[in-house]
């Protein structure tokens, strides 16, 4: 059984008379430990899919089973608790809390769990040295470069040791060297720590880090290529893959 | 309970010094005004409530029960009452029966100058000090009968709008060119008498050109109000009405209800203004944090944790302002006396008044932050995360 199973997953928004369908009866399996890149034109539903998998949004219909649990059925507050146990989210614009230091930002998700201050300290230190920022504990986000901010955000995403990491264009706002550092880091998290990683990207080169790439188009899967067999970015308008 | 750290709320305050300043100042202002309004209304109520003694009954001219100053009572009523009413208190053979003339008279500081203001004069005989035990001579002595001497209450200067020294012992004031020497000062805390000028009864009768008095105040001992009422009803020829001193001042208090209402309405309008202003700054502050709120929720923080933190932040600013406001109010308002038509009264600045003011400031912080927070949290997380 796959770690993540989407079945006929659909999300619709009603806008006055018309309805928008960012996700249209999508079927998708993501294996434990895989690194999946999601590509597709703007508005094709990438962020919507990521948010559903991260438990941030409820699907309109269909089922979304993660580790055997259909999270589409969870209440809002159960889903909040589920998120803090199972998912780390990395945003395009880092989304660090500006009034908290790097240390406090990384500590933030742990305050939701019964973890002692001492253990929190150890875990923050480990996470920050893993992302190469052991010497930046007391820096506020405004005192960090974009690339450093994103690495702090990654430390925050992994500090509670979630099984799944989602990243929405994590290098979209970074210069080349910072983007490379972030991609190296994410790849290591996938390969060395075994995190299941789902990443949205616009950039074919960035997608090459993944071992599987999916193209979304108008809320449906356009193709599914495993990296080994991947050659170029041919997007066909075929139906859903499984 | 999964809560955001307190530092988050505290440091959020520092995000916009301007907004912090507005929130703190707004709360300060509201607290000062709330304390002022409450101290005013309570001070006024106290001065009227404490003016009446439970055992005192006032005999006035029938038909003018609502104002002693307009009342006329025949000269012989005091003697008749003393002789006929059962149960009047007496000490060493002297009955507690006080014939009094009450008149608002213009007071000048020079012999032929215009009056600087009006003071309530009370012409009395020594029995007045028996029926009004609240009155205590604090400086000098009492006037001698028949002499052009007066004693002044401690708030008489406030009532006249002159410096206190101008009514010190030995000073002279003029009523219709007649010199009156101040030979004593008295205190009658929290009563209307505190702002009065007392003079010999006969002098005041001459000054007001009457041979009767305004009223007769008597203190009952074994007697009941009914005993006085029987006297009044049986002696129709004297054209009297009896009212307990308590009822008289209660009725005066009702007379000032519109003033008190106006004070409250003004205070509430200012409070609502403060609330709307507070809401406005909070909406702006929280609106700029929508993406951050989405992020906190995506980390797993429940909405009530964010809510609590934002309310905490607002309450911190409000509490700072409330403490400042309470201090300012105590500095500005302590010992302040207000002049009104009945005389003058001191603002009542005590625990309940200050507590009420602080509560108003904290309420502002609470109710000023809940709607903006709710609006911030109403949005689905996915949408919040898309905010600029
Ligand atoms: N909250 C919303 N209300 C209405 N429409 C939305 C909302 N969120 C997303 N959409 C629409 O859904 C479609 C897919 O959005 P999204 O998943 O963000 O696309 P992208 O692939 O660029 O990440 C777009 O057409 C977008 O306008
Ligand atoms: Mg997107």
């Amino acid at each position: 059984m796959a770690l993540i199973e989407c079945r006929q997953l659909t999300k619709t928004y009603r806008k006055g008379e018309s309805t928008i369908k960012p996700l249209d009866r999508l079927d998708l399996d993501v294996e434990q430990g895989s690194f999946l890149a999601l590509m597709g034109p703007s508005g094709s539903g990438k962020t919507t899919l990521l948010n559903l998998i991260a438990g941030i949004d409820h699907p309109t219909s269909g089922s979304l089973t993660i580790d055997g649990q259909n999270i589409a059925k969870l209440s809002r507050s159960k889903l909040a608790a589920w998120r803090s146990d199972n998912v780390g989210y990395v945003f395009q614009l880092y989304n660090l809390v500006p009034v908290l230091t790097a240390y406090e930002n990384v500590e933030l998700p742990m305050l939701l769990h019964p973890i002692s201050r001492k253990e929190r300290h150890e875990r923050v230190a480990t996470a920050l040295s893993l992302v190469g920022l052991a010497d930046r504990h007391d820096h506020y986000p405004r005192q960090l470069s974009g690339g450093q901010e994103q690495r702090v955000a990654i430390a925050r995403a992994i500090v509670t040791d979630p099984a799944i990491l989602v990243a929405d264009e994590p290098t979209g706002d970074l210069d080349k060297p910072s983007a490379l550092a972030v991609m190296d880091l994410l790849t290591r998290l996938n390969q060395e720590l075994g995190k299941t990683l789902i990443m949205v990207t616009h950039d074919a080169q960035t997608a090459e880090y993944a071992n599987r790439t999916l193209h979304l188009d108008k809320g449906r899967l356009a193709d599914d290529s495993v990296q080994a067999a991947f050659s170029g970015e041919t997007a066909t308008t075929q139906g859903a893959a499984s | 309970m999964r809560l955001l750290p307190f530092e988050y709320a505290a440091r959020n305050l520092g995000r916009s010094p301007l907004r912090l300043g507005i929130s703190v100042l707004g709360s300060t202002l509201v607290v000062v005004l709330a304390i002022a309004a409450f101290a005013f209304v309570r001070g006024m109520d106290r001065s009227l409530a404490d003016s009446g003694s439970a055992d005192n009954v006032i005999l006035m001219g029938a038909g003018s029960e609502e104002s002693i100053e307009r009342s006329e009572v025949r000269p012989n009523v005091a003697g008749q009452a003393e002789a006929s009413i059962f149960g009047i208190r007496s000490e060493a053979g002297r009955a507690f029966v006080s014939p009094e003339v009450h008149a608002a008279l213009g007071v000048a500081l020079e012999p032929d100058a215009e009056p600087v203001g009006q003071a309530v004069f009370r012409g009395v005989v020594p029995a007045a000090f028996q029926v009004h035990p609240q009155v205590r001579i604090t400086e000098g002595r009492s006037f001698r009968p028949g002499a052009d001497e007066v004693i002044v209450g401690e708030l008489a200067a406030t009532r006249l709008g002159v410096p206190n020294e101008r009514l010190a012992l030995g000073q002279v004031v003029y009523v219709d060119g007649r010199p009156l020497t101040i030979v004593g000062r008295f205190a009658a805390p929290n009563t209307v008498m505190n702002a009065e000028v007392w003079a010999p009864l006969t002098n005041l009768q001459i000054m007001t050109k009457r041979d009767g008095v305004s009223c007769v105040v008597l203190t009952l001992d074994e007697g009941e109000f009914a005993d006085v009422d029987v006297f009044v009803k049986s002696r129709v020829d004297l054209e009297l009405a009896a009212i307990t001193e308590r009822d008289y001042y209660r009725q005066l208090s009702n007379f000032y209800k519109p003033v008190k209402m106006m004070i409250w309405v003004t205070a509430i309008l200012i409070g609502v203004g403060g609330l709307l202003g507070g809401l406005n700054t909070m909406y702006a502050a929280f609106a700029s944090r929508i993406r951050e709120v989405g992020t906190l929720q995506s980390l797993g923080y429940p909405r009530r944790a964010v809510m609590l933190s934002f309310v905490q932040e607002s309450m911190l600013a409000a509490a700072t302002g409330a403490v400042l406001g309470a201090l300012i109010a105590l500095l500005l308002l302590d010992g302040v006396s207000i002049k009104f038509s009945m005389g003058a009264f001191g603002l009542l600045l005590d625990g309940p008044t200050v507590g009420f003011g602080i509560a108003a400031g904290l309420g502002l912080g609470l109710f000023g932050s809940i709607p903006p927070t709710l609006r911030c949290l109403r949005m689905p997380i996915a949408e919040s995360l898309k905010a600029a």
Side-chain angles (χ1 to χ4, degrees):
Chain A
M1 193 177 70
L3 177 66
I4 302 169
E5 293 180 355
C6 306
R7 293 289 175 271
Q8 297 290 297
L9 196 61
T10 304
K11 180 76 187 176
T12 52
Y13 289 110
R14 193 173 288 280
K15 254 193 186 143
E17 292 287 279
S18 62
T19 54
I20 306 168
K21 239 182 210 173
L23 275 191
D24 189 8
R25 289 164 288 148
L26 184 112
D27 287 326
L28 171 67
D29 282 2
V30 180
E31 295 302 327
Q32 162 101 45
S34 59
F35 180 175
L36 172 67
L38 277 175
M39 297 189 73
S42 193
S44 57
K46 305 183 295 293
T47 298
T48 304
L49 176 58
L50 215 55
N51 285 344
L52 288 178
I53 292 172
I56 272 173
D57 219 348
H58 273 98
T60 309
S61 64
S63 73
L64 174 52
T65 308
I66 297 182
D67 204 10
Q69 187 174 24
N70 184 1
I71 66 165
K73 291 216 160 74
L74 290 179
S75 70
R76 195 209 310 262
S77 64
K78 287 249 172 59
L79 204 54
W82 180 86
R83 279 198 298 276
S84 85
D85 287 336
N86 296 283
V87 194
Y89 206 129
V90 177
F91 304 92
Q92 179 178 358
L93 297 174
Y94 337 127
N95 289 8
L96 295 180
V97 178
V99 296
L100 300 181
T101 61
Y103 181 96
E104 290 163 337
N105 264 287
V106 177
E107 188 185 28
L108 206 51
M110 280 190 291
L111 300 176
L112 291 164
H113 300 270
I115 302 175
S116 71
R117 174 182 285 266
K118 186 166 158 286
E119 196 188 337
R120 286 204 305 269
H121 181 83
E122 282 162 12
R123 287 220 217 166
V124 174
T126 307
L128 279 175
S129 45
L130 186 72
V131 301
L133 292 171
D135 53 346
R136 293 285 194 276
H137 281 203
D138 296 329
H139 285 58
Y140 284 92
R142 63 171 184 280
Q143 299 167 318
L144 298 170
S145 71
Q148 290 171 330
E149 279 198 73
Q150 192 61 298
R151 276 143 66 199
V152 173
I154 291 170
R156 176 179 69 183
I158 58 169
V159 77
T160 52
D161 199 22
I164 302 167
L165 277 185
V166 298
D168 197 351
E169 303 188 40
T171 58
D173 219 52
L174 296 177
D175 57 24
K176 197 88 186 193
S178 302
L180 285 176
V182 162
M183 285 318 299
D184 280 341
L185 185 53
L186 289 175
T187 310
R188 274 176 57 210
L189 295 176
N190 169 245
Q191 289 175 356
E192 293 170 21
L193 301 182
K195 304 285 176 208
T196 304
L197 179 54
I198 304 170
M199 175 185 71
V200 168
T201 182
H202 271 309
D203 179 33
Q205 238 179 315
T206 306
E208 278 174 33
Y209 284 88
N211 49 36
R212 182 182 171 198
T213 302
L214 285 175
H215 288 258
L216 269 176
D217 192 23
K218 299 197 181 78
R220 314 217 53 171
L221 285 177
D223 77 346
D224 184 355
S225 44
V226 173
Q227 192 63 39
F230 183 72
S231 54
E233 72 238 52
T234 41
T236 61
T237 44
Q238 287 299 307
S242 57
Chain B
M1 179 70 173
R2 296 168 289 164
L3 294 177
L4 280 156
F6 179 73
E7 290 89 343
Y8 177 63
R11 286 192 213 147
N12 270 332
L13 277 175
R15 272 169 111 143
S16 159
L18 179 68
R19 182 180 69 83
L20 176 62
I22 291 173
S23 311
V24 171
L25 269 181
S27 168
T28 306
L29 189 74
V30 164
V31 170
V32 170
L33 289 168
I35 289 180
F38 205 42
F40 182 97
V41 169
R42 291 186 65 218
M44 182 182 241
D45 280 347
R46 177 177 64 173
S47 88
L48 292 171
D50 289 1
S51 290
S53 299
D55 299 331
N56 280 3
V57 178
I58 310 176
L59 295 176
M60 300 198 284
S64 49
E65 291 92 330
E66 71 285 349
S67 168
I68 292 180
E69 282 170 42
R70 257 180 280 144
S71 155
E72 281 281 357
V73 173
R74 291 182 201 172
N76 57 345
V77 165
Q80 305 235 0
E82 183 178 343
S84 324
I85 297 174
F86 163 79
I88 293 179
R89 195 166 158 198
S90 104
E91 244 171 50
R94 297 202 305 166
F96 283 44
V97 175
S98 169
E100 301 176 0
V101 171
H102 294 228
L105 299 175
V107 173
L109 303 181
E110 303 293 335
D112 9 78
E114 287 292 307
V116 288
Q118 283 206 329
V120 174
F121 278 70
R122 197 182 287 222
V124 296
V125 297
F129 295 95
Q130 292 179 292
V131 301
H132 303 296
Q134 306 101 308
V135 175
R136 223 169 14 86
I137 305 262
T138 52
E139 277 180 74
R141 55 173 174 83
S142 187
F143 44 76
R144 287 168 302 174
D148 277 335
E149 296 177 344
V150 295
I151 58 175
V152 297
E154 55 185 0
L155 291 183
T158 303
R159 179 73 184 90
L160 282 173
V162 302
N164 226 348
E165 306 86 71
R166 188 58 190 80
L167 299 186
L169 294 188
Q171 296 277 5
V172 180
V173 295
Y174 301 85
V175 172
D176 284 333
R178 187 183 179 110
L180 302 170
T181 306
I182 295 164
V183 297
R185 293 176 58 90
F186 66 87
N190 310 322
T191 72
V192 296
M193 292 177 284
N194 215 14
E196 291 179 352
V197 178
W198 283 20
L201 177 65
T202 47
N203 284 21
L204 220 60
Q205 281 173 321
I206 294 164
M207 282 156 66
T208 57
K209 302 176 185 69
R210 61 169 119 191
D211 31 72
V213 294
S214 307
C215 66
V216 175
V217 183
L218 37 95
T219 305
L220 293 174
D221 180 355
E222 290 161 51
E224 306 270 341
F225 178 74
D227 297 311
V228 185
D229 215 33
V230 165
F231 169 72
V232 164
K233 298 227 163 87
S234 61
R235 294 298 303 269
V236 188
D237 58 311
L238 296 176
E239 292 175 318
L240 289 175
I243 182 168
T244 65
E245 209 173 42
R246 278 272 160 85
D247 284 345
Y248 177 74
Y249 286 108
R250 195 169 295 145
Q251 153 203 313
L252 274 186
S253 191
N254 286 339
F255 177 77
Y256 288 104
K257 258 191 189 144
V259 177
K260 289 189 266 182
M261 282 298 280
M262 236 177 60
I263 299 260
W264 279 128
V265 168
T266 310
I268 287 167
L269 283 180
I270 289 167
V272 168
L275 188 66
L276 292 179
L279 281 173
N280 216 356
T281 56
M282 287 297 171
Y283 272 125
F286 293 170
S288 69
R289 286 187 217 158
I290 289 180
R291 191 151 54 89
E292 188 172 315
V293 166
T295 306
L296 292 173
Q297 289 179 276
S298 76
L299 292 180
Y301 280 95
R303 295 198 296 177
R304 64 169 187 283
V306 178
M307 172 113 206
L308 218 70
S309 180
F310 281 17
V311 169
Q312 207 175 38
E313 172 185 346
S314 166
M315 294 291 279
L316 264 176
T320 309
V323 169
L324 269 178
L327 288 177
I328 290 175
L330 286 172
L331 278 176
L332 286 184
L333 304 176
D334 194 30
V336 168
S337 304
I338 305 286
K339 142 181 162 172
F340 76 134
S341 56
M342 276 309 296
F345 62 89
L347 295 183
L348 179 46
L349 266 183
D350 61 354
T353 301
V354 174
F356 168 80
I358 288 177
L362 294 182
L364 193 74
L366 182 63
F367 294 111
S369 61
I370 288 177
T373 308
L374 284 178
R375 190 170 78 165
C376 219
L377 286 170
R378 205 177 46 202
M379 221 180 254
I381 305 171
E383 217 171 301
S384 305
L385 287 172
K386 286 195 166 104

